[in-house]
Amino acid sequence: MVEVGRFESLIRPPADVPVTAFDTAQTGITTPMLAAAPTAATVMARLDAHLSVPPYRLVAHHASTEAGMIAHQAGHCPTLASTPLLDTVRLAKAVLPGLGTYRLDSLLGYYGIPRPADRHRAMPDVEVTVQVLARLLADGCAAGRWRTLLDLDAAAGLQPKRLSPEPVLEQSALF
């Protein structure tokens, strides 16, 4: 694995998505902090501009959630939207069957990785997910579960999510 850069930004949520007291308690992010933040379209386009030539994978804990969010912004981040994903939950289930729970905090505890004070913020979560990924890759490789990127794709890969186009409703008659 090679880190080629970092990118982090707050995103202003749509007007119909309020920041709740739970959100603020969990992340420290408040409505005023997001009021001046760029839109998702702007942030995703900026992120996409940083991506280089594939092959690479987007790695996420519970990657299907990320895939859905990216799919909704595909017009603004075409490179990212066409990038396959690796799910650390799926990797953990392959390496640590029977663990019981595969939440990120559970895997941090299992591997003895300290939980950052600002857990649930983007970059700290990325940093601990990278540590979990490294451990899962090493354990899976030692167990003979994978040796190549294709092996990883088979164990924990997700293809980019494609949103279904809105159906075109045709009316058979005027009335």
Side-chain angles (χ1 to χ4, degrees), residues 7 39 50 80 88:
F7 179 88
T39 64
H50 289 282
L80 183 61
T88 53

Side-chain angles (χ1 to χ4, degrees), residues 125-137:
D125 280 7
V126 166
E127 290 168 346
V128 294
T129 299
V130 167
Q131 291 178 56
V132 167
L133 173 66
R135 299 290 292 275
L136 291 169
L137 292 177

Side-chain angles (χ1 to χ4, degrees):
M1 293 186 303
V2 176
E3 180 178 323
V4 295
R6 290 181 176 218
F7 179 88
E8 179 179 28
S9 177
L10 290 174
I11 296 175
R12 184 175 63 238
D16 64 333
V17 180
V19 176
T20 66
F22 176 79
D23 297 330
T24 300
Q26 190 171 41
T27 67
I29 297 172
T30 63
T31 300
M33 292 169 69
L34 297 175
T39 64
T42 300
V43 171
M44 299 304 278
R46 286 183 193 156
L47 173 58
D48 205 65
H50 289 282
L51 299 176
S52 60
V53 179
Y56 46 78
R57 299 294 181 272
L58 174 64
V59 176
H61 197 73
H62 202 273
S64 59
T65 300
E66 307 300 329
M69 290 188 291
I70 293 167
H72 283 285
Q73 296 297 325
H76 307 289
C77 56
T79 302
L80 183 61
S82 64
T83 301
L85 297 95
L86 283 177
D87 187 354
T88 53
V89 171
R90 289 183 179 194
L91 288 174
K93 287 179 178 181
V95 174
L96 307 168
L99 189 59
T101 177
Y102 296 93
R103 294 176 46 240
L104 186 55
D105 286 336
S106 298
L107 293 172
L108 295 177
Y110 178 84
Y111 281 122
I113 298 168
R115 186 177 190 265
D118 48 358
R119 170 82 172 84
H120 296 292
R121 292 295 296 262
M123 196 54 70
D125 280 7
V126 166
E127 290 168 346
V128 294
T129 299
V130 167
Q131 291 178 56
V132 167
L133 173 66
R135 299 290 292 275
L136 291 169
L137 292 177
D139 289 352
C141 190
R145 294 196 179 275
W146 41 71
R147 292 177 39 94
T148 68
L149 185 56
L150 292 176
D151 295 337
L152 288 173
D153 284 340
L158 296 171
Q159 288 303 308
K161 185 173 183 176
R162 306 279 186 238
L163 297 180
S164 301
E166 293 295 320
V168 176
L169 302 176
E170 290 190 28
Q171 192 170 324
S172 60
L174 187 55
F175 298 103

